[in-house]
Amino acid sequence: MSGITLSTGIQKNLLSLQNTASNIGDTQFKLSTGKKVNTALDDPISFFKAQNLNYRAGDLSARKDSIVQAQKTVEAATQTLESMLDLVDQARSIFETMASDTSSKAVSGYTKDLNSIKSQMQYLVGDGYYQGVNLLQTTDSLTVKFDENGSSSLAIQGVAASAAGMSSITYVNAVASQAAAGAAEMETLRDSLRSFAQSFATQNAILDTRREFTDNMVATLETGASELVNADMNEESANMLALQTRQQLGTISLSIANQADQSVL
């Protein structure tokens, strides 16, 4: 039994239609994905360059999350310091009032109030932590890494914000004579807490700058990767229209070639 033999004209038209159909499929896939390079087979160099850029963008995005959490840790310490400063001002006001009111009843009230303030300040120091890190204690510290390798970083050391120094004031005996010393001690403590708050504000500003830099770098990397693999939708749409027209013309050409063979027969 002999096989079916196609004429040269029909074979050429069929091959052309097959190539056109394949190109239409490729173009449809590019339009659906929005990418001209979907696998390493499409363009190995562009594919792997884009992949490396996206990998680095992902790593930096993870670092950005840790930067944001570090900022929250610093903010927790700063807010605690602000509350402590309010209590220090209250204590200083009490010491200043002592100088003019030395009655035993007043002394008893002042003593109670000062001890209460000192206790609340110590509670604040213990409560000023975020995710297990308390920057108001010298035993705690925080290291924030900025790049994907961890080679650039910022170390933030905890400070001694404890109010234990207030215990050196004798609240009961000769309160009036020690009022000036108590007020001076509160001023010293106030200056120390303000210095800590200023230092944390500087660290937070650095973290904010690095976070903004990381955001911009991630956007740059992702844009660069997109430029390597993303398709030009206008170009691909025009290409699709041209391929569909070619397919229609190929079908007509195949029909004409087939009619010509029938006429010979």
Side-chain angles (χ1 to χ4, degrees):
M1 183 176 180
S2 60
I4 299 175
T5 303
L6 301 177
S7 66
T8 303
I10 292 178
Q11 289 178 351
K12 289 182 177 180
N13 278 279
L14 285 173
L15 181 60
S16 177
L17 283 172
Q18 289 174 350
N19 290 334
T20 302
S22 177
N23 290 334
I24 288 177
D26 292 341
T27 303
Q28 286 177 332
F29 188 62
K30 291 177 182 179
L31 287 171
S32 64
T33 62
K35 295 182 178 180
K36 64 182 177 181
V37 180
N38 288 281
T39 67
L41 297 176
D42 297 330
D43 186 342
I45 295 177
S46 295
F47 178 81
F48 288 113
K49 280 184 177 180
Q51 190 177 63
N52 289 333
L53 291 174
N54 284 323
Y55 282 159
R56 189 185 177 206
D59 293 339
L60 289 179
S61 293
R63 292 298 190 198
K64 185 189 73 173
D65 293 339
S66 65
I67 292 173
V68 171
Q69 293 305 307
Q71 284 186 284
K72 296 302 179 184
T73 304
V74 174
E75 288 173 7
T78 302
Q79 291 170 358
T80 305
L81 287 173
E82 291 175 355
S83 297
M84 292 178 68
L85 283 168
D86 290 338
L87 293 177
V88 167
D89 287 339
Q90 294 176 30
R92 186 182 61 174
S93 177
I94 292 174
F95 278 120
E96 290 174 349
T97 306
M98 284 182 179
S100 58
D101 190 353
T102 59
S103 64
S104 59
K105 185 175 181 180
V107 168
S108 177
Y110 294 148
T111 302
K112 180 179 178 181
D113 291 342
L114 287 170
N115 279 314
S116 178
I117 289 174
K118 185 182 73 171
S119 297
Q120 290 304 318
M121 290 181 69
Q122 291 171 330
Y123 289 148
L124 282 172
V125 171
D127 293 338
Y129 64 89
Y130 181 85
Q131 289 189 342
V133 178
N134 191 342
L135 294 177
L136 300 180
Q137 298 177 348
T138 56
T139 54
D140 282 11
S141 62
L142 182 65
T143 300
V144 191
K145 297 180 180 179
F146 299 130
D147 65 342
E148 63 273 26
N149 299 321
S151 56
S152 63
S153 61
L154 175 67
I156 304 175
Q157 180 61 47
V159 298
S162 174
M166 293 181 67
S167 62
S168 63
I169 298 298
T170 302
Y171 300 125
V172 180
N173 298 322
V175 173
S177 63
Q178 297 190 32
E185 183 182 5
M186 291 304 97
E187 290 180 1
T188 300
L189 182 58
R190 179 200 60 190
D191 292 341
S192 296
L193 296 180
R194 284 179 177 177
S195 176
F196 296 152
Q198 182 178 0
S199 177
F200 284 142
T202 301
Q203 306 292 352
N204 199 31
I206 294 173
L207 291 173
D208 195 58
T209 299
R210 291 304 306 232
R211 181 187 57 78
E212 183 178 357
F213 170 80
T214 302
D215 279 335
N216 293 332
M217 180 58 70
V218 168
T220 299
L221 292 169
E222 291 177 343
T223 301
S226 298
E227 292 292 336
L228 290 170
V229 299
N230 282 4
D232 186 330
M233 303 306 286
N234 292 328
E235 179 182 348
E236 295 301 333
S237 296
N239 188 36
M240 173 62 75
L241 181 60
L243 288 171
Q244 289 173 339
T245 302
R246 183 186 300 175
Q247 187 179 49
Q248 293 173 356
L249 293 174
T251 302
I252 295 173
S253 178
L254 178 62
S255 177
I256 293 173
N258 187 49
Q259 290 177 2
D261 286 352
Q262 292 295 327
S263 298
V264 172
L265 293 175

